[in-house]
Structure formats: structure tokens, C-alpha cells
């Protein structure tokens, strides 16, 4: 049986007030990750696919982790650098551009991946799929005033 909260989450994702709650959502998700060892996330409770991305900081060289909504595309993971509609790309996008090797954790299980940023026609095709998956990306792109970077992560 599908989680009925997923449809509600997608609807809420098109509401500007959700972007205003981003800090509280991120903090709650981070706390759930700590309490449950990565097996439970706020996005996951809402019936949506989530992962924990760990990149290498491009300046520090240290591991940097963040919980993200992802689009499952076959055996690949698709990430969108929406940054909740903020004008700048999230730090993880810069880290992946500098070093495409990363780790994703799904329900606490780690998988080595390699990232590739999409461009041109490939970006356009994936963007259409992403809007079907998470319609709120269009609002976030308009609010941010920038094209949202899209990365495909493939198992290493």
C-alpha cells in the first residue's frame, strides 16, 4: 500500500510557506537521522524517497553530509540543487562538481556513487520528469531566479 502522505507532501511542496519552514524541516530531519541511525527521515515519513549524501568538502577536504529528497531513476539517484528556492546553489553541488565521488546512505546502508551533472537536452528531459515527480521544483526555480542543477548519481 502506498503512503497517502506522499500526495499531500507533493501538494504542500508547491506552497511558498513550505520554503519558509525549511530551517525547521532541516533541523527536524537532522535530529531524526541522529535518533534513528539514518533509518528514518522526515521526507521518508512523508512517503517520499530520501537519502543522506556525503560529499568531500571542496575547501576543507572533510566529509559533508546532508539529507535530500531524491528521484529514483532506475538504479540511479537523481538530485536537484533547489536549496529551497534560495538564490545560491547548495554547498553539496559545488562539492560534487569538484569531486564527483560520494556516498549515499539509504535507511542507514551506505552506497558508493559517482555524480554527473546534466546539461542541454539531457537536462531538459530529466527536468520534465522531475516536475512530474516533485512539482514544487518549478516554484523553487522561479523563486531562486536560477536554473537548478541536476545530478545523476550512479553506483560505483
Amino acid at each position: 500500500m502506498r503512503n497517502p502522505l506522499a500526495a499531500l507532501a507533493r501538494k504542500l511542496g508547491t506552497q511558498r510557506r513550505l520554503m519558509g519552514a525549511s530551517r525547521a524541516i532541516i533541523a527536524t530531519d537532522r535530529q531524526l537521522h541522529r535518533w534513528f541511525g539514518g533509518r528514518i527521515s522526515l521526507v521518508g515519513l512523508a512517503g517520499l524517497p530520501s537519502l543522506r549524501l556525503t560529499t568531500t568538502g571542496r575547501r576543507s577536504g572533510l566529509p559533508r553530509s546532508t539529507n535530500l529528497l531524491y528521484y529514483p531513476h532506475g538504479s540511479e539517484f537523481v538530485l536537484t540543487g533547489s536549496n529551497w528556492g534560495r538564490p545560491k546553489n547548495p554547498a553539496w553541488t559545488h562539492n560534487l562538481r569538484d569531486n564527483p565521488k560520494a556516498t549515499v546512505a539509504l535507511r542507514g546502508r551506505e552506497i558508493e556513487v559517482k555524480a554527473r551533472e546534466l546539461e542541454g537536452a539531457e537536462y531538459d528531459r530529466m527536468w520534465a520528469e522531475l516536475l512530474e515527480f516533485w512539482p514544487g521544483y518549478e516554484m523553487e526555480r522561479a523563486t531562486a531566479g536560477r536554473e537548478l542543477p541536476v545530478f545523476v548519481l550512479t553506483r560505483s
Side-chain angles (χ1 to χ4, degrees), residues 68-152:
L68 298 168
L69 170 70
Y70 78 94
Y71 173 53
H73 191 258
S75 64
E76 300 172 321
F77 311 96
V78 180
L79 301 177
T80 305
S82 66
N83 206 15
W84 295 86
R86 293 185 181 102
K88 294 184 178 182
N89 288 331
W92 62 263
T93 62
H94 303 292
N95 293 343
L96 285 179
R97 286 174 180 148
D98 192 60
N99 180 359
K101 292 181 182 179
T103 303
V104 298
L106 298 170
R107 292 172 294 284
R109 194 178 105 241
E110 291 191 349
I111 302 165
E112 298 295 319
V113 294
K114 186 170 184 182
R116 179 175 58 85
E117 188 169 3
L118 301 184
E119 298 175 339
E122 189 178 25
Y123 177 96
D124 295 339
R125 284 190 300 276
M126 184 59 74
W127 182 251
E129 285 186 48
L130 286 166
L131 290 182
E132 289 286 318
F133 169 71
W134 187 255
Y137 283 143
E138 188 58 49
M139 176 189 62
E140 292 178 53
R141 179 168 72 170
T143 302
R146 61 181 170 82
E147 187 172 277
L148 304 182
V150 175
F151 291 83
V152 172

Side-chain angles (χ1 to χ4, degrees), residues 23-79:
R23 292 192 196 289
I25 291 168
I26 292 167
T28 302
D29 199 44
R30 193 173 289 138
Q31 191 62 47
L32 285 171
H33 184 271
R34 276 190 212 112
W35 287 343
F36 296 100
R39 294 181 311 279
I40 295 179
S41 72
L42 196 57
V43 173
L45 289 173
L48 298 167
S50 69
L51 57 75
R52 184 163 180 86
L53 175 70
T54 301
T55 60
T56 301
R58 72 184 195 284
R59 292 186 185 146
S60 69
L62 299 173
R64 300 294 184 203
S65 298
T66 188
N67 297 338
L68 298 168
L69 170 70
Y70 78 94
Y71 173 53
H73 191 258
S75 64
E76 300 172 321
F77 311 96
V78 180
L79 301 177

